[in-house]
């Protein structure tokens, strides 16, 4: 079997790593990939949806796995389906649950899926008027894809008005800010839920938790994610079951009713509030860096699961998870999520991997035979153990020997939940 993985992050490296363990797989191509994927697969210098489609027309592949959201929003799945190429991921219409937060909120209201109370605005004056009447903190979100930066939690009227001006008048997130959601601030524990979906049926992953802020104790600006743990201590099977019954299944049924059956990974960000789980947002793909932890404890052949989703046979598919816990610590470039240097030489990667520790690359590339940084999030150091504490200890130990100029990482991944 020849597989094409689309994307260049840590998620794509770990998916490539997991897929390469399948006895069914002979070749894996990654478009465009990173230094890490180049060691275990064939990187292709393809970036746009059209470049990828053209390549697929010229080359035979048996499965395409789409990593990032922007390709889904551009309809790459629809285009591949037209070419009769098996592809894992939702169509453009099904993925709207991620690429339009406005669509997602209206959909949840209609289907009775629990989420924060909200109002939708396209008019700046009306939005400014609304925030004068609401209690703070208040959450302001650009509706469209904004590289994980389009959500601002404002603490007072002055902040809220400034934020609305920037999004709606100055268009700091471009078109993504044409529609704005203003919603209630939810208190609680934030976790990531993932569910394999075949348009109709679902199999949930165990719980995981990301750490969005750049600094320890959840301070500083949001990032793409600085580290994950899976399983999350304290999260019960009953809570996961409640997420399945109240959120995943009604969403699948609602999308099916709309003629947009969802095949792929449905990944809602969840706030566990005193009134039960509420959706913060929907993602229509594997999380990054959640996937780096998840793939370390998934035992079943991923190829089989992906095909069961595509073919609508999840009810006949087993998905087994090891009884270990996993973590992923992200090493980022100095200055990220603001401006940062690229091209810093990374040392200490040799002979690092053991059965317990695996390093996945994100923003890396090969330059003159050396591995150098090429993005904000650079590496994800993953480890497994019988306890989350054990996994964290191994990952942090491994980090001691890895170096690049300006490296920053959070030393408190998992601590909040362990406490
Ligand atoms: N209603 C809310 N109440 C509290 N925190 C929120 C709320 N909405 C979003 N957040 C916080 O902001 C982060 C980013 O919001 P999210 O909707 O996931 O947007 P995106 O991932 O597209 O940037 C969330 O991970 C969560 O920590
Ligand atoms: Mg999010």
């Amino acid at each position: 079997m020849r597989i094409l993985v689309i994307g260049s992050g840590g998620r794509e490296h770990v998916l490539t790593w997991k897929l390469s363990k399948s006895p069914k797989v002979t070749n894996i191509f990654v478009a465009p990939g990173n230094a890490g994927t180049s060691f275990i697969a064939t990187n292709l210098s393809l970036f746009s949806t059209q470049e990828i489609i053209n390549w697929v027309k010229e080359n035979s592949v048996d499965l395409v796995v789409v990593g990032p959201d922007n390709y889904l929003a551009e309809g790459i799945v629809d285009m591949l389906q037209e070419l009769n190429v098996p592809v894992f991921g939702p169509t453009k219409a099904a993925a709207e649950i991620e690429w339009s937060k406005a669509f997602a909120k209206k959909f949840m209201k209609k289907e009775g899926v629990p989420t924060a109370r909200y109002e939708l605005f396209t008019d700046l004056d009306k939005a400014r008027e609304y925030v004068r009447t609401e209690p703070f903190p208040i959450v302001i979100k650009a509706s469209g894809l904004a590289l994980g930066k389009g959500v601002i939690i404002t603490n007072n009227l002055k902040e809220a008005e400034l934020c609305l001006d920037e999004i709606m008048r100055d268009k700091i997130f471009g078109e993504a800010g044409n529609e704005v959601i203003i919603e209630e601030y939810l208190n609680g524990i934030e976790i990531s839920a993932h569910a394999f979906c075949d348009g109709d049926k679902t199999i949930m992953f165990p719980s995981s938790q990301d750490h969005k802020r750049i600094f320890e104790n959840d301070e500083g600006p949001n990032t793409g994610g600085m580290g994950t743990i899976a399983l999350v201590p304290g999260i019960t099977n009953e809570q996961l079951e409640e997420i399945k019954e109240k959120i995943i299944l009604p969403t699948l049924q609602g999308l099916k009713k709309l003629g947009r059956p969802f095949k792929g990974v449905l990944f809602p960000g969840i706030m566990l509030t005193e009134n039960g789980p509420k959706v913060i947002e929907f993602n229509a793909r594997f999380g990054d860096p959640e996937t780096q932890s998840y793939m370390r404890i998934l035992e079943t052949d991923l190829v089989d699961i992906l095909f069961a989703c595509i073919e609508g046979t999840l009810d006949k598919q087993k998905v087994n998870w090891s009884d270990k816990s996993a973590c992923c610590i992200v090493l980022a470039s100095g200055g990220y999520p603001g401006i940062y240097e690229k091209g810093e030489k990374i040392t200490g990667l040799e002979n690092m991997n053991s059965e317990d520790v695996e390093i996945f690359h994100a923003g890396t590339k090969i330059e003159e035979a050396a591995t150098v940084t090429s993005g904000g999030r650079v590496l994800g150091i993953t480890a497994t153990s019988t306890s989350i504490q054990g996994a964290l200890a191994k990952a942090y130990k491994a980090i001691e020997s890895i170096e690049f100029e300006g490296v920053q990482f959070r030393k408190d991944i998992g601590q909040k939940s362990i406490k």
Side-chain angles (χ1 to χ4, degrees):
M1 197 175 273
R2 291 157 58 87
I3 300 184
L4 171 63
V5 175
I6 298 174
S8 62
R11 166 185 49 210
E12 287 74 26
H13 187 189
V14 76
L15 287 172
T16 302
W17 172 84
K18 179 68 184 165
L19 291 166
S20 69
K21 296 191 175 303
S22 169
K24 301 186 173 75
V25 173
T26 50
N27 298 75
I28 307 185
F29 303 90
V30 192
N34 56 37
T37 61
S38 76
F39 300 135
I40 57 170
T42 307
N43 281 358
L44 304 171
S45 235
L46 307 171
F47 301 90
S48 70
T49 293
Q50 199 52 54
E51 285 172 329
I52 293 166
I53 294 294
N54 291 344
W55 185 87
V56 171
K57 281 183 185 162
E58 305 280 308
N59 296 272
S60 82
V61 279
D62 305 292
L63 173 65
V64 179
V65 183
V66 186
D69 50 37
N70 56 310
Y71 293 98
L72 299 171
E74 284 174 16
I76 199 166
V77 170
D78 310 62
M79 293 178 217
L80 290 164
Q81 283 174 347
E82 262 171 53
L83 299 174
N84 285 317
V85 176
V87 51
F88 181 81
T91 59
K92 178 174 183 172
E96 190 169 4
I97 197 113
E98 171 163 12
W99 56 259
S100 168
K101 289 186 192 290
F103 170 81
K105 293 300 280 193
K106 288 186 259 187
F107 173 86
M108 285 189 273
K109 197 182 242 178
K110 190 159 135 267
E111 297 300 328
V113 173
T115 186
R117 198 169 47 80
Y118 76 100
E119 290 290 334
L120 203 60
F121 295 93
T122 50
D123 182 274
L124 175 59
D125 292 332
K126 291 205 175 117
R128 277 170 144 269
E129 217 167 279
Y130 179 74
V131 291
R132 280 188 209 116
T133 64
E134 287 293 302
F136 285 90
I138 204 169
V139 185
I140 299 177
K141 301 188 174 187
S143 174
L145 296 179
L147 300 170
K149 292 186 176 154
V151 172
I152 293 118
I153 296 168
T154 61
N155 291 303
N156 55 54
L157 187 59
K158 205 169 152 226
E159 275 177 30
E161 287 180 333
L162 179 68
C163 170
L164 289 171
D165 286 348
E166 286 180 343
I167 298 178
M168 300 182 83
R169 188 191 62 204
D170 309 340
K171 299 271 190 243
I172 56 167
F173 304 122
E175 300 288 300
N178 288 352
E179 254 183 315
V180 162
I181 293 142
I182 304 180
E183 71 178 28
E184 155 199 27
Y185 180 82
L186 297 174
N187 270 307
I189 297 168
E190 186 175 351
I191 63 165
S192 299
H194 279 56
F196 287 116
C197 300
D198 73 355
D200 187 46
K201 301 169 290 300
T202 188
I203 297 177
M204 299 240 341
F205 296 35
S207 60
S208 69
Q209 188 167 49
D210 192 6
H211 297 68
K212 287 275 162 205
R213 306 293 195 101
I214 184 71
F215 300 129
E216 276 138 40
N217 301 313
D218 295 333
E219 283 172 22
N222 267 336
T223 67
M226 292 301 292
T228 52
I229 53 170
L231 331 173
V232 185
I235 303 300
T236 62
N237 287 339
E238 289 69 35
Q239 281 172 305
L240 283 178
E241 192 60 24
E242 194 181 359
I243 291 169
K244 181 177 169 181
E245 294 300 325
K246 290 189 178 162
I247 293 167
I248 304 291
L249 287 173
T251 299
L252 284 184
Q253 276 140 29
L255 287 173
K256 198 175 156 190
K257 264 191 296 185
L258 289 176
R260 309 178 183 205
F262 189 98
K263 296 184 177 206
V265 169
L266 186 62
F267 152 26
I270 303 276
M271 194 70 86
L272 297 169
T273 73
E274 14 171 79
N275 301 315
K278 294 193 179 182
V279 175
I280 295 170
E281 65 157 350
F282 276 114
N283 301 289
R285 50 171 172 84
F286 286 101
D288 186 342
E290 285 85 348
T291 308
Q292 287 87 315
S293 286
Y294 277 138
M295 290 304 124
R296 295 297 318 276
I297 52 172
L298 176 63
E299 284 181 340
T300 309
D301 189 333
L302 183 60
V303 174
D304 292 342
I305 306 173
L306 301 187
F307 271 101
C309 293
I310 294 169
E311 289 163 1
T313 54
L314 261 189
D315 50 333
K316 298 185 190 80
Q317 180 64 43
K318 278 229 158 26
V319 177
N320 293 327
W321 301 90
S322 87
D323 49 16
K324 291 191 175 171
S325 291
C327 69
C328 172
I329 317 294
V330 170
L331 304 192
S333 297
Y336 174 78
I339 25 177
Y340 52 84
E341 297 290 329
K342 293 182 185 178
E344 303 293 354
K345 195 168 174 206
I346 307 169
T347 57
L349 290 173
E350 309 76 23
N351 310 320
M352 277 299 306
N353 294 350
S354 66
E355 196 187 323
D356 295 333
V357 176
E358 290 280 348
I359 295 172
F360 297 106
H361 292 225
T364 67
K365 67 175 182 182
I366 306 284
E367 217 170 63
E368 290 164 8
T371 303
V372 302
T373 65
S374 68
R377 293 188 294 167
V378 176
L379 298 167
I381 315 305
T382 70
T384 56
S385 183
T386 47
S387 72
I388 195 68
Q389 287 90 334
L392 288 162
K394 286 182 201 169
Y396 280 113
K397 178 88 189 119
I399 288 171
E400 285 173 13
S401 50
I402 302 169
E403 267 177 73
F404 58 87
E405 185 64 35
V407 58
Q408 53 167 342
F409 61 94
R410 277 180 62 162
K411 296 175 187 70
D412 66 342
I413 299 302
Q415 291 310 317
K416 195 173 48 180
S417 287
I418 290 167
K419 277 192 199 114

